[in-house]
Amino acid sequence: MTEHFNEQLNEWKKQVEKTNERFPERKEQFVNKSDIEIDPLYYPKEDQVDGEYSEKVGFPGQYPYTRGIQPSMYRNRFWTMRQYAGFGSAEETNKRFRYLLEQGQTGLSVAFDLPTQIGYDSDDPMSEGEVGKVGVAIDSLEDMETLLEGIPLDQVSTSMTINAPASVLLCMYIAVAEKQGVPKEKVTGTIQNDILKEYIARGTYIYPPKPSMRLITNIFEYCANEVPKFNTISISGYHIREAGSTAVQEVAFTLANGMAYVDAAIESGLAVDQFAPRLAFFFNAHNNFFEEAAKFRAARRIWAKMMKEKYQAQNEKSWRLRFHTQTGGSTLTAQQPDNNIVRVALQALSAVLGGTQSLHTNSRDEALALPTEESARIALRTQQIIAHESGVADTVDPLAGSYYVEQMTDEIEKEVMEYLDRIEEMGGAVQAVEEGYMQREIHQTAYETQKKIESQEEIIVGMNEFKIEEEVHEDLLRVDEQLEQRQVNQVQNIRGQRDQSQVDEQLNKLKQAAQTDENLMPYILDCVKSYATVGEICHVLRDEFGEYTGM
């Protein structure tokens, strides 16, 4: 037992040395305010070690990654501070991106408007009243060029929250990078591309499950060969939690969806180690601090076991659950919005102590409107204060060994596995979605939670207790009502200026390819480069694949 522990410890020390050669530690010496030196890692003494510690907890950077996927975590580099932004036009959002980068943000995250998310152009009748409201309007490559103007795509990684038309927006991003002179193999970022959770919780789907899964595996295959540094999916528990799930359900349903994507990719002919290292996850962080930190630790351990044991992955990178975290939008209150700053700080801290790779902190006013510049700055400063002033990033996984946290991690793992076994008995996540199982579980949980809030069994400070009379908020961000007409004019101008015969030719090639088993990504990229619009490309695929209309 002690011998195995010492082997793990020595291996960890070698990993740290190797990491430090690539990325030197942030400081020459880590000390607290009392001038006490902070060790890189704390672990039990030899005479306190038991087999369970080595098997369940272990060391960071080692299977099963309970303590983190990197051996030294934030001692070398902080998590990526990736603030989600997007509103109005591409030009306005570009200004917000550049402002956030100037304020110290280290990665971009794009919010798209509802028409873009469901594959409609701004001048489509279905888009009326929604253009630029909940995110940026992107109709053609020209909009994407404007959105990313002045942002070097070989230096900044970008996350895009887009699902049903993910292939189209990814191709636009690749095309802009090429115009900047950045080769595909140097492009970094993440595309959400998680359609199963759209059927479960969010609703921005276009096509039925089977062709949607085809598009996802097409992206896996294309990026494995052409854009190897891009994360091809962000398997999302965030929206499952926003819909009302518990922390256990969030992890269980997310990992079940992850298994479905792995199964689909293997079925399409890909080897597991060919695509699994680029899978990424996206989780929520809520207010129950220790539960959230334990949730992240449990999720890492379960995924590592599944990839190693169930899927027989050989590459250690395939075992590592890499994840982005966003603080809980559904926990924000319209009443006393400044209270949300405190909620977000606690949630962000749980994500950091849970070992997140990147983080978005919500703004105080998001229950009322899109965030103002001042609110977005406070949200970013929250992360920077945690990073630079709290000391929590100076040692790896400081919660490890807590009786409470370790037992909570075990309990969450146990309950998640019970859900996963149930879903597997049904035939997997796709079948469970089609039967409405996950949806019913989430709806029941959301109903029970709402009853507790209404009865004040669950206190929401400032909303159902500790209330005050409040004034109307005048300083909210409002999207210019003239934007929609400007965006409509712009997309119509693009259609008038482009080579229509070239567009028609590329769209027709896409249509023909969709009738075969070919990978559609090269055809979509050619359409994008001809300035075919998001709506035109998605309508071709709608005609071939049909539309999903729900349960």
Side-chain angles (χ1 to χ4, degrees):
M1 197 180 299
T2 304
E3 186 179 344
H4 180 53
F5 174 81
N6 286 332
E7 285 174 4
Q8 288 180 308
L9 176 58
N10 290 332
E11 177 60 27
W12 172 76
K13 288 178 179 177
K14 289 176 187 174
Q15 288 177 304
V16 169
E17 283 180 19
K18 194 173 178 182
T19 301
N20 290 346
E21 287 173 9
R22 288 187 64 208
F23 306 107
E25 289 191 335
R26 292 182 286 106
K27 303 175 185 176
E28 286 187 16
Q29 186 182 30
F30 288 85
V31 294
N32 63 19
K33 296 297 182 184
S34 301
D35 210 32
I36 297 170
E37 188 169 352
I38 308 298
D39 291 341
L41 185 72
Y42 292 88
Y43 44 84
K45 295 181 171 62
E46 278 189 44
D47 59 358
Q48 298 172 331
V49 174
D50 58 25
E52 192 172 80
Y53 178 86
S54 294
E55 180 188 339
K56 285 188 172 182
V57 183
F59 288 83
Q62 294 180 24
Y63 180 88
Y65 305 103
T66 307
R67 301 196 67 180
I69 62 167
Q70 290 124 359
S72 51
M73 291 300 289
Y74 311 131
R75 293 267 293 198
N76 302 84
R77 295 185 298 175
F78 292 124
W79 58 94
T80 301
M81 299 177 192
R82 191 187 300 281
Q83 293 299 96
Y84 188 46
F87 62 94
S89 68
E91 185 178 8
E92 287 178 288
T93 301
N94 175 265
K95 288 177 184 174
R96 176 63 64 88
F97 282 163
R98 292 169 80 160
Y99 170 77
L100 289 169
L101 290 169
E102 287 167 7
Q103 295 301 311
Q105 178 170 301
T106 51
L108 298 179
S109 183
V110 187
F112 296 97
D113 72 354
L114 192 56
T116 305
Q117 290 184 53
I118 52 178
Y120 289 111
D121 290 332
S122 296
D123 62 346
D124 192 294
M126 289 290 286
S127 301
E128 188 173 349
E130 291 291 343
V131 176
K133 288 292 174 67
V134 299
V136 61
I138 299 292
D139 291 313
S140 73
L141 180 58
E142 182 177 77
D143 290 321
M144 189 65 88
E145 290 165 353
T146 302
L147 180 72
L148 299 169
E149 186 178 348
I151 296 169
L153 299 187
D154 56 343
Q155 297 173 35
V156 175
S157 72
T158 304
S159 174
M160 295 188 281
T161 301
I162 196 74
N163 294 281
S167 53
V168 182
L169 276 297
L170 175 56
C171 284
M172 287 184 174
Y173 192 82
I174 292 168
V176 173
E178 287 181 353
K179 283 180 172 250
Q180 287 188 4
V182 179
K184 289 197 285 281
E185 59 270 18
K186 288 192 176 179
V187 175
T188 61
T190 303
I191 195 102
Q192 192 160 102
N193 196 28
D194 176 9
I195 203 64
L196 289 177
K197 67 92 176 51
E198 297 298 325
Y199 302 126
I200 295 168
R202 194 161 176 264
T204 62
Y205 43 72
I206 300 176
Y207 321 111
K210 189 173 180 181
S212 295
M213 295 294 275
R214 172 191 174 179
L215 287 169
I216 289 167
T217 55
N218 281 178
I219 290 172
F220 286 1
E221 181 181 32
Y222 179 82
C223 287
N225 296 324
E226 302 287 338
V227 199
K229 291 185 177 180
F230 211 88
N231 298 321
T232 51
I233 193 168
S234 179
I235 306 161
S236 303
Y238 183 85
H239 308 93
I240 290 170
R241 193 67 178 280
E242 290 293 282
S245 80
T246 64
V248 165
Q249 289 169 336
E250 177 191 0
V251 174
F253 299 161
T254 304
L255 298 190
N257 289 347
M259 291 166 68
Y261 294 126
V262 172
D263 290 337
I266 291 171
E267 198 174 307
S268 75
L270 295 174
V272 65
D273 287 323
Q274 189 178 351
F275 64 88
R278 300 315 302 176
L279 301 180
F281 290 79
F282 175 23
F283 289 116
N284 209 315
H286 272 222
N287 289 330
N288 194 309
F289 182 84
F290 290 108
E291 180 185 27
E292 294 302 300
K295 175 189 78 178
F296 299 127
R297 301 171 90 245
R300 267 195 303 272
R301 191 156 75 199
I302 296 166
W303 185 251
K305 288 178 182 177
M306 286 197 307
M307 294 307 293
K308 184 179 182 181
E309 296 170 12
K310 179 180 174 67
Y311 292 105
Q312 300 292 301
Q314 301 301 306
N315 186 343
E316 290 185 10
K317 290 180 180 178
S318 297
W319 306 341
R320 297 173 191 160
L321 184 143
R322 298 171 302 119
F323 69 95
H324 171 71
T325 308
Q326 181 173 337
T327 56
S330 61
T331 68
L332 303 178
T333 62
Q335 300 85 355
Q336 301 179 42
D338 284 352
N339 293 347
N340 294 328
I341 297 172
V342 183
R343 291 185 179 103
V344 167
L346 286 169
Q347 294 164 8
L349 184 59
S350 75
V352 170
L353 289 174
T356 194
Q357 275 60 68
S358 61
L359 179 61
H360 164 89
T361 33
N362 289 331
S363 297
R364 60 182 172 178
D365 48 6
E366 287 191 55
L368 295 160
L370 292 170
T372 62
E373 195 170 271
E374 180 186 16
S375 294
R377 185 176 66 248
I378 291 170
L380 177 59
R381 292 289 183 260
T382 301
Q383 292 201 49
Q384 291 166 334
I385 289 168
I386 291 172
H388 294 281
E389 297 185 30
S390 72
V392 298
D394 290 351
T395 189
V396 181
D397 189 27
L399 294 182
S402 156
Y403 296 122
Y404 180 36
V405 171
E406 296 300 354
Q407 184 163 333
M408 182 65 66
T409 303
D410 292 347
E411 289 289 335
I412 290 173
E413 180 180 18
K414 177 174 170 286
E415 293 193 22
V416 168
M417 290 308 301
E418 288 172 1
Y419 264 117
L420 290 176
D421 289 343
R422 215 169 302 150
I423 291 166
E424 190 168 5
E425 285 171 11
M426 292 179 182
V430 176
Q431 187 65 31
V433 168
E434 290 178 343
E435 292 181 13
Y437 169 70
M438 298 186 203
Q439 297 93 312
R440 288 193 302 274
E441 289 287 303
I442 295 168
H443 294 165
Q444 184 61 35
T445 299
Y447 172 67
E448 296 296 335
T449 300
Q450 188 60 33
K451 283 201 302 182
K452 288 177 182 177
I453 292 170
E454 290 175 3
S455 68
Q456 291 189 301
E457 182 182 343
E458 187 171 317
I459 299 297
I460 309 296
V461 174
M463 190 183 82
N464 66 356
E465 187 64 285
F466 312 111
K467 297 181 279 190
I468 60 173
E469 291 293 322
E470 296 187 77
E471 298 178 1
V472 175
H473 301 282
E474 299 291 347
D475 57 343
L476 300 176
L477 178 69
R478 290 178 172 83
V479 176
D480 181 0
E481 293 297 332
Q482 301 303 311
L483 163 80
E484 183 163 331
Q485 190 54 53
R486 290 198 298 271
Q487 191 69 23
V488 166
N489 294 342
Q490 185 170 317
V491 70
Q492 290 175 350
N493 287 340
I494 282 287
R495 291 200 189 98
Q497 295 167 7
R498 67 192 183 183
D499 182 342
Q500 190 60 44
S501 63
Q502 176 74 1
V503 173
D504 292 341
E505 180 185 345
Q506 298 305 332
L507 289 173
N508 188 53
K509 286 181 179 179
L510 174 62
K511 180 182 178 69
Q512 292 173 356
Q515 296 166 4
T516 72
D517 293 330
E518 282 191 84
N519 190 312
L520 299 182
M521 283 293 288
Y523 296 96
I524 294 171
L525 184 58
D526 287 341
C527 289
V528 161
K529 289 179 177 179
S530 72
Y531 288 84
T533 65
V534 170
E536 289 165 341
I537 296 168
C538 289
H539 279 310
V540 166
L541 298 179
R542 275 186 174 95
D543 290 343
E544 293 305 316
F545 297 156
E547 286 192 80
Y548 185 72
T549 54
M551 297 296 145

